[in-house]
Amino acid sequence: NKGFETILSYKSNPSNAFKYGIDLNFSTYKNNVESLDTDSNFLLNGVSITKKGSPIASFYGLIADGLFRTPEEVAVHADQPGKAVGKIRYRDINFDGKIDQFDRTIIGNPHPDFIYGINLYSSYKGFDVTLFFDGKQGNDLYNAQRAIGDFDYFSFNHNINTLDAWTPNKANSNIPALSTLNSNNELQPSSYFVEDGSYMRLKNIQLTYNVPSSILKKIRLSSAQIYVQGQNLFTFTKYKGLD
Protein backbone atom coordinates (compact mmCIF):
# COMPACT_ATOMS: atom_id res chain seq x y z
CA ASN A 1 0.00 0.00 0.00
CA LYS A 2 1.20 3.49 -0.84
CA GLY A 3 -0.76 6.60 0.02
CA PHE A 4 -1.29 9.36 2.53
CA GLU A 5 -3.76 10.64 5.09
CA THR A 6 -4.47 14.21 6.13
CA ILE A 7 -6.66 15.93 8.70
CA LEU A 8 -7.75 19.57 8.51
CA SER A 9 -9.53 21.33 11.36
CA TYR A 10 -11.01 24.77 11.92
CA LYS A 11 -12.50 26.26 15.09
CA SER A 12 -14.17 29.63 15.45
CA ASN A 13 -13.37 32.16 18.18
CA PRO A 14 -14.26 30.44 21.50
CA SER A 15 -15.31 33.78 23.03
CA ASN A 16 -18.17 34.20 20.55
CA ALA A 17 -21.70 33.34 21.61
CA PHE A 18 -22.08 31.19 18.51
CA LYS A 19 -19.20 28.77 18.14
CA TYR A 20 -18.60 26.26 15.39
CA GLY A 21 -15.94 24.01 13.92
CA ILE A 22 -15.22 21.51 11.20
CA ASP A 23 -12.85 18.55 10.96
CA LEU A 24 -12.02 16.95 7.62
CA ASN A 25 -10.07 13.72 7.23
CA PHE A 26 -9.01 12.37 3.87
CA SER A 27 -6.95 9.33 2.95
CA THR A 28 -5.99 7.64 -0.28
CA TYR A 29 -3.84 4.66 -1.18
CA LYS A 30 -2.91 2.43 -4.08
CA ASN A 31 -2.64 -1.30 -3.53
CA ASN A 32 -0.55 -3.66 -5.65
CA VAL A 33 0.54 -7.26 -5.17
CA GLU A 34 4.29 -7.25 -5.84
CA SER A 35 4.94 -10.97 -5.41
CA LEU A 36 3.47 -14.27 -4.21
CA ASP A 37 5.25 -17.25 -2.68
CA THR A 38 3.52 -19.56 -5.16
CA ASP A 39 3.17 -19.80 -8.92
CA SER A 40 -0.62 -20.00 -8.54
CA ASN A 41 -3.05 -17.13 -8.08
CA PHE A 42 -5.43 -17.09 -5.13
CA LEU A 43 -9.02 -17.31 -6.33
CA LEU A 44 -11.61 -16.69 -3.58
CA ASN A 45 -15.16 -18.03 -4.05
CA GLY A 46 -14.65 -17.79 -7.80
CA VAL A 47 -15.23 -14.02 -7.65
CA SER A 48 -12.02 -12.33 -6.50
CA ILE A 49 -8.41 -13.00 -7.38
CA THR A 50 -5.05 -12.10 -5.89
CA LYS A 51 -2.29 -12.07 -8.48
CA LYS A 52 1.00 -10.34 -9.04
CA GLY A 53 0.69 -6.92 -10.61
CA SER A 54 -2.92 -6.28 -9.57
CA PRO A 55 -4.69 -5.00 -6.44
CA ILE A 56 -5.31 -7.66 -3.81
CA ALA A 57 -8.72 -9.38 -4.01
CA SER A 58 -9.64 -7.86 -7.38
CA PHE A 59 -12.98 -8.97 -8.80
CA TYR A 60 -12.52 -11.61 -11.48
CA GLY A 61 -14.85 -12.96 -14.15
CA LEU A 62 -16.23 -12.53 -17.64
CA ILE A 63 -17.04 -9.15 -19.16
CA ALA A 64 -20.79 -8.85 -19.67
CA ASP A 65 -21.13 -6.96 -22.94
CA GLY A 66 -24.82 -6.10 -22.72
CA LEU A 67 -27.62 -8.28 -24.07
CA PHE A 68 -28.13 -9.88 -27.47
CA ARG A 69 -30.64 -7.62 -29.23
CA THR A 70 -31.10 -9.34 -32.57
CA PRO A 71 -30.76 -12.85 -34.07
CA GLU A 72 -27.95 -11.45 -36.24
CA GLU A 73 -25.91 -10.56 -33.13
CA VAL A 74 -26.40 -14.08 -31.80
CA ALA A 75 -25.32 -15.63 -35.11
CA VAL A 76 -22.03 -13.75 -35.48
CA HIS A 77 -20.98 -13.93 -31.83
CA ALA A 78 -18.38 -16.36 -30.49
CA ASP A 79 -19.42 -19.87 -29.47
CA GLN A 80 -21.34 -19.26 -26.22
CA PRO A 81 -23.54 -22.15 -25.00
CA GLY A 82 -27.07 -20.92 -24.37
CA LYS A 83 -26.72 -17.63 -26.25
CA ALA A 84 -30.02 -16.20 -27.44
CA VAL A 85 -31.82 -12.93 -27.96
CA GLY A 86 -32.38 -11.24 -24.58
CA LYS A 87 -29.52 -13.13 -22.89
CA ILE A 88 -26.23 -11.73 -21.59
CA ARG A 89 -23.47 -11.49 -24.20
CA TYR A 90 -19.97 -12.21 -22.88
CA ARG A 91 -16.84 -10.75 -24.45
CA ASP A 92 -14.34 -12.99 -26.20
CA ILE A 93 -11.23 -11.24 -24.90
CA ASN A 94 -8.71 -13.67 -26.37
CA PHE A 95 -10.45 -13.82 -29.77
CA ASP A 96 -10.40 -17.62 -29.98
CA GLY A 97 -14.03 -17.81 -31.09
CA LYS A 98 -15.44 -19.29 -27.89
CA ILE A 99 -16.44 -18.11 -24.43
CA ASP A 100 -14.73 -20.07 -21.66
CA GLN A 101 -12.62 -19.69 -18.51
CA PHE A 102 -9.77 -18.17 -20.53
CA ASP A 103 -11.92 -15.11 -21.19
CA ARG A 104 -12.07 -14.30 -17.48
CA THR A 105 -10.24 -11.15 -16.46
CA ILE A 106 -10.18 -8.53 -13.71
CA ILE A 107 -13.59 -6.83 -13.74
CA GLY A 108 -13.46 -4.58 -10.68
CA ASN A 109 -11.34 -3.05 -7.94
CA PRO A 110 -12.63 -3.19 -4.35
CA HIS A 111 -10.19 -0.51 -3.21
CA PRO A 112 -11.51 3.08 -3.14
CA ASP A 113 -9.83 6.05 -4.75
CA PHE A 114 -10.19 7.84 -1.44
CA ILE A 115 -11.92 7.68 1.94
CA TYR A 116 -13.16 10.70 3.85
CA GLY A 117 -14.96 11.91 6.96
CA ILE A 118 -16.58 15.25 7.83
CA ASN A 119 -17.34 16.31 11.39
CA LEU A 120 -19.41 19.49 11.92
CA TYR A 121 -20.20 20.94 15.32
CA SER A 122 -21.66 24.16 16.71
CA SER A 123 -22.97 25.56 19.99
CA TYR A 124 -25.18 28.45 21.03
CA LYS A 125 -26.74 29.30 24.39
CA GLY A 126 -26.62 25.83 25.86
CA PHE A 127 -27.44 23.97 22.63
CA ASP A 128 -24.88 21.83 20.82
CA VAL A 129 -25.28 20.25 17.39
CA THR A 130 -22.87 17.71 15.89
CA LEU A 131 -23.00 15.91 12.54
CA PHE A 132 -20.63 13.24 11.27
CA PHE A 133 -20.46 12.10 7.64
CA ASP A 134 -18.26 9.35 6.25
CA GLY A 135 -17.78 8.01 2.75
CA LYS A 136 -15.76 6.20 0.13
CA GLN A 137 -15.30 7.05 -3.52
CA GLY A 138 -14.30 4.93 -6.50
CA ASN A 139 -14.53 1.39 -5.11
CA ASP A 140 -16.40 -1.44 -6.81
CA LEU A 141 -18.73 -3.89 -5.06
CA TYR A 142 -19.88 -7.29 -6.27
CA ASN A 143 -23.67 -7.30 -5.90
CA ALA A 144 -24.29 -11.01 -5.43
CA GLN A 145 -27.93 -10.29 -4.52
CA ARG A 146 -28.63 -9.69 -8.23
CA ALA A 147 -28.24 -13.44 -8.77
CA ILE A 148 -31.39 -13.89 -6.68
CA GLY A 149 -33.22 -10.71 -7.61
CA ASP A 150 -32.77 -10.41 -11.39
CA PHE A 151 -33.29 -14.00 -12.48
CA ASP A 152 -36.13 -16.49 -12.30
CA TYR A 153 -34.05 -19.53 -11.39
CA PHE A 154 -35.13 -19.57 -7.72
CA SER A 155 -38.55 -20.31 -6.24
CA PHE A 156 -38.97 -17.16 -4.17
CA ASN A 157 -39.47 -13.43 -4.58
CA HIS A 158 -37.44 -11.44 -7.09
CA ASN A 159 -36.19 -7.92 -7.46
CA ILE A 160 -38.50 -5.31 -8.95
CA ASN A 161 -35.97 -5.24 -11.84
CA THR A 162 -37.60 -8.36 -13.25
CA LEU A 163 -40.66 -6.29 -14.17
CA ASP A 164 -38.44 -4.62 -16.78
CA ALA A 165 -36.75 -7.81 -18.03
CA TRP A 166 -36.10 -8.12 -21.77
CA THR A 167 -39.05 -9.04 -23.97
CA PRO A 168 -39.69 -8.25 -27.64
CA ASN A 169 -41.72 -5.28 -26.37
CA LYS A 170 -38.88 -4.15 -24.09
CA ALA A 171 -36.02 -4.60 -26.50
CA ASN A 172 -33.88 -1.87 -24.88
CA SER A 173 -33.94 -3.41 -21.40
CA ASN A 174 -30.64 -4.29 -19.71
CA ILE A 175 -32.24 -6.99 -17.53
CA PRO A 176 -31.94 -10.45 -19.16
CA ALA A 177 -35.04 -12.22 -20.42
CA LEU A 178 -36.69 -14.32 -17.71
CA SER A 179 -36.38 -18.08 -17.83
CA THR A 180 -36.58 -20.93 -15.34
CA LEU A 181 -33.54 -22.53 -17.02
CA ASN A 182 -30.05 -21.08 -16.67
CA SER A 183 -29.02 -22.24 -20.14
CA ASN A 184 -26.72 -19.24 -20.68
CA ASN A 185 -24.94 -19.71 -17.33
CA GLU A 186 -25.78 -16.16 -16.32
CA LEU A 187 -25.03 -16.71 -12.63
CA GLN A 188 -21.31 -17.18 -13.29
CA PRO A 189 -19.01 -14.37 -12.07
CA SER A 190 -19.16 -11.47 -14.50
CA SER A 191 -19.16 -7.70 -14.66
CA TYR A 192 -22.98 -7.84 -14.73
CA PHE A 193 -22.79 -8.00 -10.91
CA VAL A 194 -20.10 -5.32 -10.41
CA GLU A 195 -21.38 -1.91 -9.34
CA ASP A 196 -19.98 1.40 -8.16
CA GLY A 197 -19.78 1.16 -4.36
CA SER A 198 -19.17 4.87 -3.71
CA TYR A 199 -21.27 6.36 -0.93
CA MET A 200 -21.65 9.20 1.54
CA ARG A 201 -23.51 8.51 4.78
CA LEU A 202 -24.80 10.71 7.57
CA LYS A 203 -23.35 8.48 10.23
CA ASN A 204 -24.42 10.41 13.29
CA ILE A 205 -26.33 13.57 14.27
CA GLN A 206 -26.90 14.78 17.81
CA LEU A 207 -28.72 17.76 19.33
CA THR A 208 -27.80 18.42 22.94
CA TYR A 209 -29.21 20.82 25.53
CA ASN A 210 -26.96 21.61 28.47
CA VAL A 211 -29.15 22.24 31.51
CA PRO A 212 -28.28 25.65 33.07
CA SER A 213 -26.32 25.65 36.32
CA SER A 214 -29.01 27.78 37.99
CA ILE A 215 -31.42 24.85 37.63
CA LEU A 216 -28.86 22.21 38.51
CA LYS A 217 -28.00 23.85 41.83
CA LYS A 218 -31.58 23.41 42.98
CA ILE A 219 -31.43 19.66 42.40
CA ARG A 220 -27.79 19.34 43.53
CA LEU A 221 -26.29 18.27 40.21
CA SER A 222 -23.02 19.54 38.78
CA SER A 223 -23.98 18.91 35.14
CA ALA A 224 -26.76 17.39 33.06
CA GLN A 225 -27.57 17.09 29.36
CA ILE A 226 -30.64 16.21 27.37
CA TYR A 227 -29.94 14.97 23.87
CA VAL A 228 -31.55 13.44 20.81
CA GLN A 229 -29.40 11.30 18.54
CA GLY A 230 -29.82 9.58 15.18
CA GLN A 231 -27.46 7.13 13.47
CA ASN A 232 -27.14 6.11 9.82
CA LEU A 233 -30.03 8.37 8.81
CA PHE A 234 -29.13 8.91 5.15
CA THR A 235 -26.90 7.12 2.67
CA PHE A 236 -26.27 8.59 -0.79
CA THR A 237 -25.13 5.92 -3.23
CA LYS A 238 -25.85 4.39 -6.64
CA TYR A 239 -25.18 0.89 -5.30
CA LYS A 240 -28.35 -1.24 -5.43
CA GLY A 241 -27.32 -4.12 -3.19
CA LEU A 242 -27.47 -4.72 0.54
CA ASP A 243 -24.96 -3.13 2.91
Side-chain angles (χ1 to χ4, degrees):
N1 292 320
K2 293 182 179 180
F4 70 90
E5 180 175 7
T6 184
I7 299 175
L8 301 175
S9 298
Y10 174 81
K11 294 181 179 180
S12 65
N13 190 334
S15 62
N16 293 341
F18 175 70
K19 295 179 281 290
Y20 64 94
I22 180 171
D23 299 321
L24 302 174
N25 66 74
F26 175 91
S27 64
T28 182
Y29 70 92
K30 295 295 182 182
N31 176 276
N32 182 62
V33 178
E34 296 183 348
S35 65
L36 296 170
D37 62 356
T38 174
D39 292 333
S40 301
N41 300 317
F42 292 96
L43 189 61
L44 178 63
N45 296 328
V47 173
S48 66
I49 194 170
T50 295
K51 56 186 290 189
K52 181 180 178 180
S54 300
I56 192 171
S58 296
F59 295 123
Y60 187 71
L62 297 175
I63 296 176
D65 227 358
L67 305 183
F68 291 106
R69 306 289 179 184
T70 65
E72 290 75 19
E73 289 182 1
V74 176
V76 300
H77 189 61
D79 182 17
Q80 178 181 312
K83 63 180 181 178
V85 174
K87 298 296 186 179
I88 296 177
R89 177 179 57 202
Y90 298 106
R91 187 178 300 175
D92 181 15
I93 66 170
N94 62 357
F95 303 105
D96 64 353
K98 59 183 178 180
I99 305 299
D100 56 22
Q101 62 177 333
F102 300 107
D103 293 303
R104 299 186 69 184
T105 186
I106 291 177
I107 53 176
N109 185 353
H111 303 278
D113 295 330
F114 58 87
I115 305 169
Y116 61 92
I118 305 171
N119 190 41
L120 306 172
Y121 47 94
S122 62
S123 62
Y124 181 71
K125 292 186 176 181
F127 289 93
D128 298 330
V129 178
T130 60
L131 298 93
F132 175 64
F133 298 85
D134 77 327
K136 292 182 179 180
Q137 186 66 37
N139 63 301
D140 294 317
L141 288 175
Y142 193 88
N143 187 358
Q145 286 78 35
R146 294 194 73 177
I148 299 174
D150 288 9
F151 301 95
D152 200 29
Y153 309 139
F154 304 96
S155 57
F156 39 78
N157 289 339
H158 310 302
N159 197 308
I160 196 172
N161 286 351
T162 56
L163 297 177
D164 293 320
W166 188 95
T167 68
N169 295 327
K170 296 180 180 178
N172 293 324
S173 173
N174 292 316
I175 307 299
L178 297 182
S179 173
T180 56
L181 298 176
N182 187 16
S183 57
N184 194 39
N185 195 15
E186 290 172 323
L187 301 184
Q188 64 183 317
S190 76
S191 60
Y192 180 82
F193 302 98
V194 177
E195 299 181 17
D196 181 5
S198 303
Y199 76 90
M200 182 178 73
R201 175 179 293 132
L202 177 54
K203 191 78 173 177
N204 188 79
I205 181 172
Q206 181 170 310
L207 171 63
T208 304
Y209 176 66
N210 299 284
V211 181
S213 58
S214 58
I215 297 177
L216 294 176
K217 288 180 180 179
K218 297 178 181 179
I219 54 178
R220 298 182 179 181
L221 291 178
S222 59
S223 65
Q225 294 181 327
I226 302 172
Y227 70 90
V228 178
Q229 184 184 62
Q231 294 182 332
N232 299 326
L233 296 182
F234 302 103
T235 300
F236 305 95
T237 183
K238 295 181 180 179
Y239 180 65
K240 301 299 184 182
L242 303 176
D243 65 19

